Amino acid sequence: MTPELWDRLSLFRGKAFGRGVPGEDVERWLGLARVCVTLAEGGGGPVVGRFGGSLALPPGVEAPFHPFVAALDLAALPAGVTGLPLPSDGQLLLFAVPEDEGDYGNRGTAVYVPAGAEVEERDRYAWGLSGIEEYRRMVEAFPQGELRATVDVSLPYHCAVERAGEPGSEPLAGHPRAEELVAVWDEVRGDVASGGPLRIGGYASEEAVHTDPVAGAVFHARKEAEAGRWEGPVSDDVADWALLADWNPGIEGWEGATVHWAIQRADLVARRFDRTFTTVYWNP
């Protein structure tokens, strides 16, 4: 975390103190801060990828079941700005359908294409369910255009954890003022962090967040693995997972949808992006 990013958090610190949150609770919460990259179609940052465009994959790689969202040029990202051990070059391709069908299913994936790999252009509309008009209309509305990067700081948007084996939730361990601190972050984040539809790293957000969406991905991945529909192993410890990317599509008819690509840290280091598990929050 650079001094400039820490300086941005002074607004958060002042607002939290002003609400009467004890200093030790504020500083403990600030210790959770993560660096991340916000990607948007405007702004003055470097171009690091694009929404949509042509889809190119290595000859032996099967086209994912889910539609193509974006391609990121990892070599164009400044080193260390995502807080994730991403490869230093090559392309990261993201795929997803921004709709939750109410089951535990995986809603997307990621594909890593190493630098210099032989690729061939594919039909980006040749994905599962493409023959259904509703989904075709959704995908045709996916954003298109260059993505520019802004280095940002991220604090948790969630304030609670679900109780194991029983209904309800409780504050994050060690953070009894979590709800107040999340409210402060919600108030000031527009002045601290830049806005953009796609984020790499940091914390997951959604329209009505209460518990960590990455924890939700862990739960769903475990259920899918138990049912034999997703390759294991799956760690139950959220600390073993990371948010790879977060996307707010902003598509008419699917307003409020948020896509979360989560991956186990061991898989990230091993470049097993095919083991990315994708969930969607959507409040229709």
Side-chain angles (χ1 to χ4, degrees):
M1 189 80 70
T2 66
E4 187 272 333
L5 290 177
W6 280 117
D7 286 344
R8 287 198 215 172
L9 290 171
S10 61
L11 177 60
F12 172 86
R13 180 183 284 106
K15 288 281 187 180
F17 288 163
R19 289 195 177 194
V21 181
E24 60 182 15
D25 290 304
V26 176
E27 297 305 325
R28 195 180 303 116
W29 193 256
L30 286 170
L32 301 176
R34 294 176 180 171
V35 67
C36 64
V37 170
T38 300
L39 303 176
E41 295 173 78
V47 175
V48 299
R50 65 172 293 114
F51 275 133
S54 61
L55 171 61
L57 294 169
V61 175
E62 184 178 354
F65 178 84
H66 299 94
F68 177 50
V69 174
L72 305 180
D73 179 2
L74 297 178
L77 285 174
V81 296
T82 65
L84 302 171
L86 294 172
S88 59
D89 55 17
Q91 284 201 322
L92 180 64
L93 310 181
L94 299 174
F95 301 79
V97 57
E99 184 171 275
D100 178 10
E101 296 183 356
D103 58 11
Y104 298 122
N106 194 359
R107 295 285 173 255
T109 192
V111 173
Y112 172 60
V113 181
E118 179 186 356
V119 295
E120 58 186 17
E121 189 165 340
R122 309 288 183 90
D123 180 1
R124 67 186 182 94
Y125 287 110
W127 46 274
L129 306 180
S130 60
I132 300 176
E133 176 60 29
E134 178 185 13
Y135 288 102
R136 180 88 179 195
R137 179 168 55 86
M138 171 199 289
V139 174
E140 288 174 348
F142 277 14
Q144 305 286 314
E146 291 181 336
L147 285 168
R148 295 181 177 271
T150 300
V151 181
D152 268 324
V153 63
S154 178
L155 284 171
Y157 296 87
H158 60 280
C159 59
V161 294
E162 294 182 353
R163 296 190 180 99
E166 58 181 288
S169 60
E170 57 191 23
L172 293 176
H175 299 282
R177 309 296 286 269
E179 187 170 358
E180 295 167 85
L181 291 163
V182 167
V184 173
W185 179 236
D186 190 53
E187 180 181 341
V188 305
R189 63 179 175 174
D191 297 315
V192 174
S194 62
L198 183 62
R199 182 186 303 109
I200 307 299
Y203 288 97
S205 67
E206 51 192 39
E207 186 182 44
V209 68
H210 180 60
T211 56
D212 186 0
V214 174
V218 174
F219 175 82
H220 284 70
R222 187 176 68 249
K223 290 293 185 182
E224 287 293 279
E226 291 172 352
R229 292 189 293 266
W230 198 64
E231 179 187 352
V234 177
S235 172
D236 288 336
D237 189 348
V238 179
D240 290 338
W241 290 72
L243 177 72
L244 179 62
D246 215 38
W247 177 42
N248 299 106
I251 298 172
E252 183 178 357
W254 288 270
E255 293 87 349
T258 309
V259 180
H260 312 293
W261 287 270
I263 187 170
Q264 292 180 99
R265 295 181 184 277
D267 289 329
L268 183 55
V269 171
R271 301 187 179 184
R272 287 293 310 274
F273 290 95
D274 58 304
R275 286 183 42 74
T276 300
F277 197 89
T278 309
T279 57
V280 176
Y281 171 87
W282 183 41
N283 183 19

